[in-house]
Amino acid sequence: MAYITSAALEQHGFVILDRYDQAADPQEWRDLEYVDWKSSGITRFAPLASAQGEIEVNGFWNHTPPRADKDGVWVTSQVERAPNLVRRAQEPGANIGRCRVIELQPNSYVDSLYNLHQDDNNRLNPDGTGWIVRGYYNLSDDPQSVMILREDRYDPTTEIRIPLAAGTQLIVDTQRFWHAIWHAGPEPRYSLITSWESGPELDAYIAKYHGTSEHTNPPLDQQVVDDAQAKVQRRLAERAATVASKSKA
Ligand SMILES: [Fe+2]
């Protein structure tokens, strides 16, 4: 058996959909209730769907009983404040797991490389069902910020940088890619993140909004890349040394 995956994501692991007219909607993310939850930078999260419909953002596998990132329960008080965000998450008609708005404070390129990680979206997801991928819909207007994707965490030649203007809509296999956001600021960045189950519904949605993996990175000076690689390697080595000394103590 194998997971059901999306042909559109098979080769490149991400698609960029048509840009959404974000300015036409109210800024619902400003009305939501956020919880402090550190994830790849200085972040807070506003759950729209969570494991049990509570205002908390833990992985569904950390609940009792543990379960896959599917069948998220809508948080009533949040849904009332953000009907457009909920409508957008529900539009594909695919099963939804975690659905939340993330708030991220500004950071640097080095920070973002340090923060590169792979998501654990498919923990406990039964073989033979749909592979979980995630939507990243930029709510604030951050054209100078980018989502960084790397097939190989330490190889900058595998890097994809997708600018995050308001209304940018990405669907990414974040369990495949090392990923993080480089957010220029100066204001916090807001993004709607939805876990969707791959299948015919999601495929039809990607086709409807002309999902494409064709993309050219915005330019970035090679010296900036090289310096950041060196700095992040140092930071990672320092962290490893700290962890080692703690485990000895
Ligand atoms: Fe992630």
Side-chain angles (χ1 to χ4, degrees), residues 113-187:
L113 297 186
Y114 183 79
N115 289 335
L116 285 172
H117 66 281
Q118 292 167 308
D119 288 342
D120 198 9
N121 302 328
N122 288 278
R123 194 192 292 200
L124 303 182
N125 191 14
D127 199 9
T129 68
W131 185 252
I132 307 294
V133 296
R134 301 188 96 177
Y136 292 81
Y137 288 3
N138 226 72
L139 303 174
S140 46
D141 188 32
D142 308 302
Q144 307 305 321
S145 304
V146 288
M147 177 170 232
I148 295 179
L149 306 174
R150 287 189 181 185
E151 292 270 9
D152 179 333
R153 182 183 184 184
Y154 298 114
D155 182 356
T157 66
T158 67
E159 182 168 294
I160 295 162
R161 294 185 298 278
I162 303 172
L164 299 171
T168 300
Q169 304 189 105
L170 312 173
I171 299 177
V172 184
D173 182 350
T174 48
Q175 187 161 338
R176 164 174 165 176
F177 279 110
W178 293 85
H179 62 278
I181 303 293
W182 175 13
H183 175 42
E187 301 295 320

Side-chain angles (χ1 to χ4, degrees), residues 3-6 69-71 92-97 122 125-126 128-134 194-203:
Y3 288 105
I4 298 160
T5 55
S6 172
D69 192 11
K70 294 178 181 176
D71 303 311
N95 191 308
I96 294 171
N122 288 278
N125 191 14
T129 68
W131 185 252
I132 307 294
V133 296
R134 301 188 96 177
T194 310
S195 294
W196 281 308
E197 180 174 13
S198 299
E201 296 87 359
L202 193 62
D203 287 347

Side-chain angles (χ1 to χ4, degrees), residues 26 39 156:
S39 164

